[in-house]
Amino acid sequence: MPDDISTDCVIEDDRWESLGLEALADRAVEAALQWHGVGGEVVVMGCDDARIAALNADFRGKPRATNVLSWPSVEHLPHEPGARPDLPDEDELGDIAIAYDTCLAEAEAQGKPVADHVTHLLVHATLHLLGYDHMNDADAETMEAAERSILARLNIPDPYQEKV
């Protein structure tokens, strides 16, 4: 397993600069990888809704904006539902794209600080690069539990807790 953790941040939409995407990405990726005891390199691209909609159309056949997309550098092996995936033994873990407009709208709608929401989405996407998914309830629960634990280390409230 690689030991070093590095995040390469590519800013396509200048609004990400004022939000501090590079620092948020470093923090989120580092936390997710340290939680697993692994290193690796992740590329994060901060873009707008138009760009992520085009990427979503090209790679997933869904021509609409979404909050975050991820592309693991390796194809992950299937695992038992609810089991943690086997972690990749690669230096380059993959790429993440995150859309400013959608993230901002979601954070506002959910009454969350934008930085917390973006950090959560980057942790979520990094877990996808490590082989996690949420294709069934058991896998979703495993992934959400990992997210909660990682975010708690960053003092970010549980994003799945219902507001009363």
mmCIF file with all atom_site columns, all heavy atoms in Angstrom, residues 17 53 80 87 90 126 152:
data_model
loop_
_atom_site.group_PDB
_atom_site.id
_atom_site.type_symbol
_atom_site.label_atom_id
_atom_site.label_alt_id
_atom_site.label_comp_id
_atom_site.label_asym_id
_atom_site.label_entity_id
_atom_site.label_seq_id
_atom_site.pdbx_PDB_ins_code
_atom_site.Cartn_x
_atom_site.Cartn_y
_atom_site.Cartn_z
_atom_site.occupancy
_atom_site.B_iso_or_equiv
_atom_site.pdbx_formal_charge
_atom_site.auth_seq_id
_atom_site.auth_comp_id
_atom_site.auth_asym_id
_atom_site.auth_atom_id
_atom_site.pdbx_PDB_model_num
ATOM 1  N N   . GLU A 1 17  ? -12.692 28.723  -5.591  1.00 0.00 ? 17  GLU A N   1
ATOM 2  C CA  . GLU A 1 17  ? -11.550 29.363  -4.922  1.00 0.00 ? 17  GLU A CA  1
ATOM 3  C C   . GLU A 1 17  ? -11.995 30.039  -3.632  1.00 0.00 ? 17  GLU A C   1
ATOM 4  O O   . GLU A 1 17  ? -11.361 29.888  -2.585  1.00 0.00 ? 17  GLU A O   1
ATOM 5  C CB  . GLU A 1 17  ? -10.889 30.389  -5.850  1.00 0.00 ? 17  GLU A CB  1
ATOM 6  C CG  . GLU A 1 17  ? -10.200 29.802  -7.046  1.00 0.00 ? 17  GLU A CG  1
ATOM 7  C CD  . GLU A 1 17  ? -8.858  29.163  -6.746  1.00 0.00 ? 17  GLU A CD  1
ATOM 8  O OE1 . GLU A 1 17  ? -8.374  29.248  -5.601  1.00 0.00 ? 17  GLU A OE1 1
ATOM 9  O OE2 . GLU A 1 17  ? -8.291  28.561  -7.678  1.00 0.00 ? 17  GLU A OE2 1
ATOM 10 N N   . ALA A 1 53  ? -22.932 17.978  -15.621 1.00 0.00 ? 53  ALA A N   1
ATOM 11 C CA  . ALA A 1 53  ? -24.017 17.370  -16.399 1.00 0.00 ? 53  ALA A CA  1
ATOM 12 C C   . ALA A 1 53  ? -23.450 16.698  -17.647 1.00 0.00 ? 53  ALA A C   1
ATOM 13 O O   . ALA A 1 53  ? -23.881 15.593  -18.017 1.00 0.00 ? 53  ALA A O   1
ATOM 14 C CB  . ALA A 1 53  ? -25.057 18.416  -16.772 1.00 0.00 ? 53  ALA A CB  1
ATOM 15 N N   . GLU A 1 80  ? -19.162 -9.266  -0.473  1.00 0.00 ? 80  GLU A N   1
ATOM 16 C CA  . GLU A 1 80  ? -20.420 -9.638  0.163   1.00 0.00 ? 80  GLU A CA  1
ATOM 17 C C   . GLU A 1 80  ? -21.188 -8.379  0.548   1.00 0.00 ? 80  GLU A C   1
ATOM 18 O O   . GLU A 1 80  ? -20.583 -7.401  0.999   1.00 0.00 ? 80  GLU A O   1
ATOM 19 C CB  . GLU A 1 80  ? -20.166 -10.473 1.422   1.00 0.00 ? 80  GLU A CB  1
ATOM 20 C CG  . GLU A 1 80  ? -19.640 -11.864 1.148   1.00 0.00 ? 80  GLU A CG  1
ATOM 21 C CD  . GLU A 1 80  ? -20.644 -12.728 0.420   1.00 0.00 ? 80  GLU A CD  1
ATOM 22 O OE1 . GLU A 1 80  ? -21.841 -12.718 0.781   1.00 0.00 ? 80  GLU A OE1 1
ATOM 23 O OE2 . GLU A 1 80  ? -20.225 -13.413 -0.535  1.00 0.00 ? 80  GLU A OE2 1
ATOM 24 N N   . LEU A 1 87  ? -9.359  -2.997  -0.344  1.00 0.00 ? 87  LEU A N   1
ATOM 25 C CA  . LEU A 1 87  ? -8.822  -1.700  -0.744  1.00 0.00 ? 87  LEU A CA  1
ATOM 26 C C   . LEU A 1 87  ? -7.839  -1.855  -1.897  1.00 0.00 ? 87  LEU A C   1
ATOM 27 O O   . LEU A 1 87  ? -7.098  -2.836  -1.957  1.00 0.00 ? 87  LEU A O   1
ATOM 28 C CB  . LEU A 1 87  ? -8.134  -1.030  0.444   1.00 0.00 ? 87  LEU A CB  1
ATOM 29 C CG  . LEU A 1 87  ? -9.044  -0.756  1.647   1.00 0.00 ? 87  LEU A CG  1
ATOM 30 C CD1 . LEU A 1 87  ? -8.232  -0.218  2.811   1.00 0.00 ? 87  LEU A CD1 1
ATOM 31 C CD2 . LEU A 1 87  ? -10.156 0.203   1.275   1.00 0.00 ? 87  LEU A CD2 1
ATOM 32 N N   . GLU A 1 90  ? -2.927  0.691   -5.112  1.00 0.00 ? 90  GLU A N   1
ATOM 33 C CA  . GLU A 1 90  ? -2.514  1.595   -6.183  1.00 0.00 ? 90  GLU A CA  1
ATOM 34 C C   . GLU A 1 90  ? -2.085  2.925   -5.589  1.00 0.00 ? 90  GLU A C   1
ATOM 35 O O   . GLU A 1 90  ? -2.617  3.346   -4.562  1.00 0.00 ? 90  GLU A O   1
ATOM 36 C CB  . GLU A 1 90  ? -3.696  1.864   -7.133  1.00 0.00 ? 90  GLU A CB  1
ATOM 37 C CG  . GLU A 1 90  ? -4.230  0.649   -7.843  1.00 0.00 ? 90  GLU A CG  1
ATOM 38 C CD  . GLU A 1 90  ? -3.290  0.127   -8.898  1.00 0.00 ? 90  GLU A CD  1
ATOM 39 O OE1 . GLU A 1 90  ? -2.611  0.949   -9.555  1.00 0.00 ? 90  GLU A OE1 1
ATOM 40 O OE2 . GLU A 1 90  ? -3.204  -1.097  -9.055  1.00 0.00 ? 90  GLU A OE2 1
ATOM 41 N N   . THR A 1 126 ? -14.474 9.759   -2.158  1.00 0.00 ? 126 THR A N   1
ATOM 42 C CA  . THR A 1 126 ? -13.221 9.049   -1.887  1.00 0.00 ? 126 THR A CA  1
ATOM 43 C C   . THR A 1 126 ? -13.506 7.600   -1.505  1.00 0.00 ? 126 THR A C   1
ATOM 44 O O   . THR A 1 126 ? -12.794 6.683   -1.928  1.00 0.00 ? 126 THR A O   1
ATOM 45 C CB  . THR A 1 126 ? -12.413 9.766   -0.779  1.00 0.00 ? 126 THR A CB  1
ATOM 46 O OG1 . THR A 1 126 ? -12.159 11.108  -1.196  1.00 0.00 ? 126 THR A OG1 1
ATOM 47 C CG2 . THR A 1 126 ? -11.098 9.056   -0.494  1.00 0.00 ? 126 THR A CG2 1
ATOM 48 N N   . ALA A 1 152 ? -17.047 12.491  11.858  1.00 0.00 ? 152 ALA A N   1
ATOM 49 C CA  . ALA A 1 152 ? -16.977 12.773  13.297  1.00 0.00 ? 152 ALA A CA  1
ATOM 50 C C   . ALA A 1 152 ? -15.553 13.170  13.688  1.00 0.00 ? 152 ALA A C   1
ATOM 51 O O   . ALA A 1 152 ? -15.362 14.069  14.514  1.00 0.00 ? 152 ALA A O   1
ATOM 52 C CB  . ALA A 1 152 ? -17.434 11.558  14.101  1.00 0.00 ? 152 ALA A CB  1
#
